[in-house]
């Protein structure tokens, strides 16, 4: 047998000391974890090579392996990039085509585009209700200073309960504040009730869109079992018996966003909801539901979350939901039982048949709740 054949493949050849096991892997001569000073790693490697292999040939092998690794890495990156969708630059609903100039969004509203959702108060195990009942998540936008409103809602419709065959789970969505006293009160409130989810962006009108984007991320990561989500605000009255009845009896209820729908609402150029012309040159938005309260099917949440990754964050949260729904081709369906921004006669029958009513004082809300609880079957106690 020629001397140029490596010891590993020569019959009857004993493995060199550099291949004997030690506590740290393949170590030195007879040591338990201490490589022999007589056997450097380079010498071990050489003893496994044919003796006639020159230093030039060895370097060729090393360079060849390096080239293969570089090519493999480049191909892997190429296929990963090909698998990732491109940021959305345009959407159409058949009437209007909406273009998104990402550089303008980043210039005018950089924080909305660059912000990465960071929770201050987390709720990772909230969606753990009875598995026998489909989950209706009540996701309520609130403000740190609105502790009184949250208290009223907890005494009325924002309760953990089983109603109409659904398990209702309230969740209040908050941003941060620089007011340390308010922050401490909210942390204490969260410890007591366990129904607050809070991020570290500061509350503001434009940051409501961040609240929507971060909510979709949270749902995707922690609440995929939600059958439906009621997206609302903390100044509305919700009838949980009528709401769950609506979900049970409406045909194809999971195929739409349900609410008080604005069809191609006009863009405002002045006031709190003003949108700069360079950001959005068109005069109309896509359809979207009034933010005071609307229903989103749980089956659409994964696609809505993915769309939030590739759409710019629009500075108005209602229109932002409209773009998200358009991106995943989720249509809207109007229902007059989502009552908002209208003058109504304040009779108990109105609250009995309505899904949601906006413009109710906190005192009136509690009185209506007590009256309905005493007169309506299936009302949560």
């Amino acid at each position: 047998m020629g001397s140029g054949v490596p010891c590993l493949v020569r019959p009857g050849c004993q493995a060199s000391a550099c291949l004997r096991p030690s506590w740290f892997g393949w170590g030195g001569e007879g040591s338990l974890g201490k490589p022999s000073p007589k056997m450097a790693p380079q010498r071990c490697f050489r003893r496994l090579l044919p003796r006639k292999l020159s230093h030039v040939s060895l370097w060729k092998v090393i360079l060849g392996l390096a080239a293969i690794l570089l090519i493999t890495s480049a191909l892997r990156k190429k296929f990963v990039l090909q698998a990732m969708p491109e940021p959305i630059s345009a959407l159409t609903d058949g009437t209007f085509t909406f273009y998104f100039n990402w550089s303008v969004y980043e210039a005018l509203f950089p924080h909305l585009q660059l912000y990465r959702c960071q929770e201050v108060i987390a709720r990772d195990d909230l969606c753990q209700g009875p598995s026998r009942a489909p989950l209706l998540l009540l996701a309520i936008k609130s403000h740190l200073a609105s502790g009184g409103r949250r208290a009223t809602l907890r005494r009325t419709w924002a309760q953990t309960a089983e109603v109409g065959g659904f398990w209702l789970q309230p969740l209040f969505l908050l941003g941060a504040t620089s007011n340390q006293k308010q922050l401490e009160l909210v942390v204490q409130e969260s410890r007591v009730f366990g129904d607050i989810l809070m991020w570290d962006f500061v509350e503001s009108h434009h940051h409501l869109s961040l609240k929507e984007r971060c909510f979709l991320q949270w749902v995707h990561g922690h609440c995929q079992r939600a059958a439906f989500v009621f997206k609302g605000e903390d100044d509305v009255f919700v009838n949980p018996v009528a709401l769950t009845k609506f979900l049970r009896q409406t045909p194809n209820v999971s195929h739409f966003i349900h609410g008080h729908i604005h069809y191609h609402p006009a863009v405002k150029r002045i006031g709190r909801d003003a949108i700069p012309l360079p950001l959005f040159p068109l005069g109309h938005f896509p359809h979207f539901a009034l933010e005071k309260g609307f229903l989103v099917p749980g089956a659409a949440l994964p696609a809505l979350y993915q769309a939030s990754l590739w759409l710019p964050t629009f500075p108005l949260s209602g229109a932002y939901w409209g773009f998200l729904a358009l991106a995943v081709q989720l249509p809207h369906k109007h229902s007059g039982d989502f009552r908002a921004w209208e003058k109504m006669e304040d009779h108990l029958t109105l609250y009995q048949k309505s899904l949601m009513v906006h413009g109710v004082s906190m005192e009136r809300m509690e009185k209506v709740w007590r009256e309905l609880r005493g007169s309506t079957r299936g009302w949560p106690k």
Side-chain angles (χ1 to χ4, degrees), residues 263-277:
Y263 294 100
H264 289 140
V267 178
K268 297 179 180 179
R269 301 300 180 188
I270 59 174
R272 188 180 70 162
D273 293 338
I275 295 298
L277 192 66

Side-chain angles (χ1 to χ4, degrees), residues 1-20 26 44-50:
M1 189 68 64
S3 61
V5 179
C7 177
L8 280 177
V9 297
R10 243 186 4 244
C13 177
Q14 294 182 352
S16 69
C18 66
L19 296 178
R20 292 174 186 169
W26 293 100
C44 289
F45 183 66
R46 287 195 206 103
R47 287 185 59 170
L48 299 181
L49 295 172

